[in-house]
């Protein structure tokens, strides 16, 4: 069966520091991958999605970036964090020929 | 552009009772998928139920069922015999079947469901 992992689970970082969140999927190949952010008590905001290695689509221009160095690995990065980057970050995957998305456990990021 | 609207930010239901969460959407497409996701306090999103627009029969998963009204663009979720573990934020979502469109799911803003013991 397929599983999706995210780490770290919780992260506290000072303003201006770099960020790297990692997401990996097991048990499938060539998945579509997504990064979402959820502010406290609010809905999901799609940040990036990828349909293949090195193929990244950005939904929201900001100081975040994403990379897909391997088929089942999706990384969310920032060179300098802002206070407004605080939130709950969710990674999701979708089978190539399916329409639903499956989510990871998420990373709670607090920028201080 | 497609939109998904959940007009009830919060709802409460007595344990063992039935509750219905509302969702409406706007689209010009004829083929699409609709979903309900559950986000419990752990905050991991869980797929509850899905509905293909070309199917007239309403989807059912155990205590969860939907009322899909395509003409009205309405997609409500009914939870029967509510349990304490059903307490969560519920998101309605839309996905186009048009392969030329971006591969994205559009989520509503969510409805927080409280279960009263």
């Amino acid at each position: 069966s397929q599983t999706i992992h995210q780490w770290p689970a919780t992260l506290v970082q000072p303003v201006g520091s770099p960020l790297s969140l990692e997401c990996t999927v097991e048990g499938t190949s060539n998945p579509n991958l997504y990064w979402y952010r959820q502010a406290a008590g609010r809905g999901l905001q799609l940040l990036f999605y990828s349909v293949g290695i090195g193929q990244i689509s950005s939904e929201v221009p900001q100081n975040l970036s994403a990379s897909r160095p391997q088929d089942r690995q999706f990384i969310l990065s920032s060179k300098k964090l802002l206070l407004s980057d605080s939130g709950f970050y969710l990674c999701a995957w979708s089978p190539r020929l399916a329409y639903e998305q499956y989510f990871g456990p998420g990373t709670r990021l607090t920028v201080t | 552009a497609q939109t998904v609207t959940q007009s009830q930010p919060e709802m409460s239901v007595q344990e063992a009772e039935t509750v219905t969460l509302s969702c409406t959407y706007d689209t010009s497409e004829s083929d699409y998928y609709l979903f309900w996701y559950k986000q419990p306090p752990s905050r991991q999103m869980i797929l509850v139920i899905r509905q293909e627009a070309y199917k007239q029969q309403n989807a059912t998963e155990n205590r969860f069922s939907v009322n899909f009204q395509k003409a009205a663009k309405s997609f409500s979720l009914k939870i029967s015999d509510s349990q304490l573990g059903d307490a969560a934020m519920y998101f309605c979502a839309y996905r186009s079947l048009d392969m030329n469109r971006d591969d994205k799911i559009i989520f509503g803003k969510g409805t927080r469901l409280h279960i009263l013991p």
Side-chain angles (χ1 to χ4, degrees), chain A residues 11-17 37 39-40 62-64 78 80-89 109-112:
Chain A
L11 189 61
V12 180
Q13 292 283 93
V15 168
S17 63
R37 178 169 62 198
Q62 53 196 345
N63 69 321
L64 298 173
S78 174
K80 289 185 177 181
L81 283 169
L82 307 173
L83 286 174
S84 58
D85 291 324
S86 292
F88 191 66
Y89 288 82
L109 172 65
T110 303
V111 182
T112 60

Side-chain angles (χ1 to χ4, degrees), chain A residues 13-69:
Chain A
Q13 292 283 93
V15 168
S17 63
L19 172 74
S20 181
L21 303 181
E22 189 166 340
C23 170
T24 58
V25 182
E26 297 178 352
T28 188
S29 59
N30 201 23
N32 293 337
L33 296 171
Y34 309 83
W35 277 112
Y36 290 88
R37 178 169 62 198
Q38 186 179 32
R42 303 184 69 176
L44 282 78
Q45 178 187 34
L46 179 63
L47 300 175
F48 302 94
Y49 67 97
S50 171
V51 298
I53 296 175
Q55 301 178 61
I56 309 294
S57 295
S58 174
E59 289 297 302
V60 182
Q62 53 196 345
N63 69 321
L64 298 173
S65 62
S67 61
R68 185 170 177 173

Side-chain angles (χ1 to χ4, degrees), chain A residues 99, chain B residues 29 31-33 54 94-101:
Chain A
Y99 297 96
Chain B
E29 298 176 330
D31 293 325
Y32 46 87
Y33 266 81
Y54 61 87
Y94 171 100
R95 170 68 160 90
S96 171
L97 263 64
D98 184 349
M99 298 304 292
N100 293 320
R101 289 192 173 272

Side-chain angles (χ1 to χ4, degrees), chain B residues 16-19 62-65 78-83 86:
Chain B
E17 297 295 311
T18 295
V19 63
N62 299 313
R63 298 182 295 107
F64 297 86
S65 62
K78 185 173 80 172
I79 306 174
S80 304
D81 185 25
S82 298
Q83 301 176 359
D86 295 332

